[in-house]
Amino acid sequence: MDLNWQDLHHSELSTSQLYQLLALRNAVFIVEQQCPYLDIDGADLTGDNRHLLGIIDDRLVAYARILVPKEADQPVKFGRVIISGEARGLNLGSRLMEQALNSCERHWPQRPIFLSAQAHLQRFYGRLGFVAVSGEYLEDDIPHVDMLRAG
């Protein structure tokens, strides 16, 4: 298995890469999780936002979006963290988060990082230094918890 990671500013995404990441997000978050919501939210192609792509044999199998707020005192946000169905069980979640954390350290050192985690993944993110900063709540009928990692 030859896994290639790409850490791209939104302006560096090709049309094909953008199509693949939107298709993967749609397949998992909307179809598989049976959660109709507006995935295309206007944040994919703005500011200094970045996209992490994990590719095996020209197929996107891992993805995360990094959103950078305009205010310097606000945390960077991870979102749309996803592993394709065909690649689950390959420990790509840990590798994807390692890539995301490395990207933040490279581009925004010492900045805190925020994510809205599906509640069942709280321990996973906890092992990476994230701490719950909210109680459990429903987002699109799925239990979530807000988590923060100090910069």
Side-chain angles (χ1 to χ4, degrees):
M1 172 182 73
D2 188 22
L3 178 61
N4 176 34
W5 290 103
Q6 295 180 10
D7 177 1
L8 303 172
H9 183 272
H10 69 81
S11 65
E12 299 171 306
L13 288 170
S14 70
T15 304
S16 175
Q17 289 167 321
L18 180 60
Y19 182 88
Q20 286 182 58
L21 73 87
L22 292 173
L24 177 61
R25 288 177 3 193
N26 184 289
V28 174
F29 295 136
I30 297 170
V31 177
E32 180 182 318
Q33 294 182 357
Q34 299 178 359
C35 183
Y37 77 104
L38 188 58
D39 177 53
I40 300 173
D41 59 4
D44 288 312
L45 304 176
T46 61
D48 284 323
N49 296 342
R50 302 191 71 80
H51 300 269
L52 297 175
L53 293 80
I55 300 165
I56 298 174
D57 297 330
D58 294 324
R59 290 185 333 273
L60 181 64
V61 296
Y63 170 81
R65 180 172 77 173
I66 302 174
L67 301 178
V68 185
K70 291 180 176 128
E71 297 80 31
D73 63 338
Q74 295 296 310
V76 174
K77 294 182 180 182
F78 288 173
R80 307 298 200 266
V81 178
I82 188 170
I83 303 298
S84 72
E86 68 186 82
R88 292 186 195 137
L90 300 177
N91 198 33
L92 294 185
S94 295
R95 293 169 71 185
L96 173 60
M97 289 306 297
E98 178 183 309
Q99 293 292 320
L101 292 170
N102 287 342
S103 179
C104 285
E105 185 58 34
R106 199 168 37 255
H107 298 288
W108 310 281
Q110 308 304 314
R111 192 121 175 221
I113 303 166
F114 173 89
L115 58 82
S116 176
Q118 290 188 6
H120 73 278
L121 295 171
Q122 185 173 347
R123 292 170 107 193
F124 169 76
Y125 290 117
R127 289 192 298 271
L128 298 168
F130 287 87
V131 176
V133 293
S134 78
E136 198 170 292
Y137 60 91
L138 287 179
E139 182 175 314
D140 300 314
D141 289 328
I142 298 172
H144 280 72
V145 63
D146 290 341
M147 301 189 79
L148 189 66
R149 185 178 195 262

